[in-house]
Amino acid sequence: MEMDMEVHHAEAGVPISALNSVADALPGLGIVAAVLGVVITMGSLGGPPEEIGHKVGAALVGTFLGILLCYGFLGPLASNLQKMNDAEGDYLRCLRQGVIAFVKGSAPVLAVEFARRSIPGDLRPSFKEVEGAFKAGGEK
């Protein structure tokens, strides 16, 4: 079960890693766009000021887009996907702990307690909440 979980987690991390790589490359592409824009602008020096302004503006837009796409879209998207992947791993670990405890012969209440203790602290219900759910027959 543990090996299956590791393989699943690793497979789910591949697209996240690829997205992070693209996000990390975008500021560099923005810099390349700026340098290319400056080179093109240098070629049109002596021309009308509107044309030069247009080319400088295009160079700045390339830089802006590289940074915006990295830190405004792809980076946060990759981070969110990583958090979702980690949360799914926590969920599966909780289920695994409960199943293992039950298979080893623990009473169902103790198996649930083992599972509860493997839940991350910020999400973990208190012992009294779980006990109340047991007494209510799982309706709580």
Side-chain angles (χ1 to χ4, degrees):
M1 202 177 346
E2 187 171 344
M3 182 179 60
D4 289 336
M5 289 172 49
E6 286 177 14
V7 168
H8 176 73
H9 190 74
E11 287 175 353
V14 170
I16 296 168
S17 178
L19 197 58
N20 263 328
S21 296
V22 171
D24 290 344
L26 284 173
L29 288 175
I31 292 169
V32 169
V35 171
L36 184 60
V38 168
V39 169
I40 291 171
T41 303
M42 291 296 167
S44 66
L45 284 178
E50 297 84 23
E51 184 181 335
I52 294 172
H54 177 71
K55 293 181 188 233
V56 168
L60 292 175
V61 166
T63 305
F64 174 74
L65 278 177
I67 292 170
L68 176 67
L69 289 174
C70 172
Y71 298 113
F73 292 105
L74 295 184
L77 179 63
S79 177
N80 191 32
L81 289 173
Q82 182 65 48
K83 288 178 185 176
M84 289 171 55
N85 191 24
D86 292 344
E88 183 180 20
D90 291 341
Y91 174 72
L92 293 174
R93 274 189 288 285
C94 174
L95 292 177
R96 184 189 71 193
Q97 285 300 114
V99 168
I100 288 173
F102 186 73
V103 167
K104 285 185 176 180
S106 297
V109 175
L110 287 176
V112 170
E113 176 59 18
F114 281 115
R116 183 192 75 83
R117 288 179 25 208
S118 71
I119 297 173
D122 58 330
L123 300 173
R124 182 182 307 153
S126 70
F127 179 78
K128 289 186 180 195
E129 290 173 326
V130 174
E131 185 180 33
F134 263 113
K135 289 181 180 178
E139 296 175 9
K140 220 174 189 184

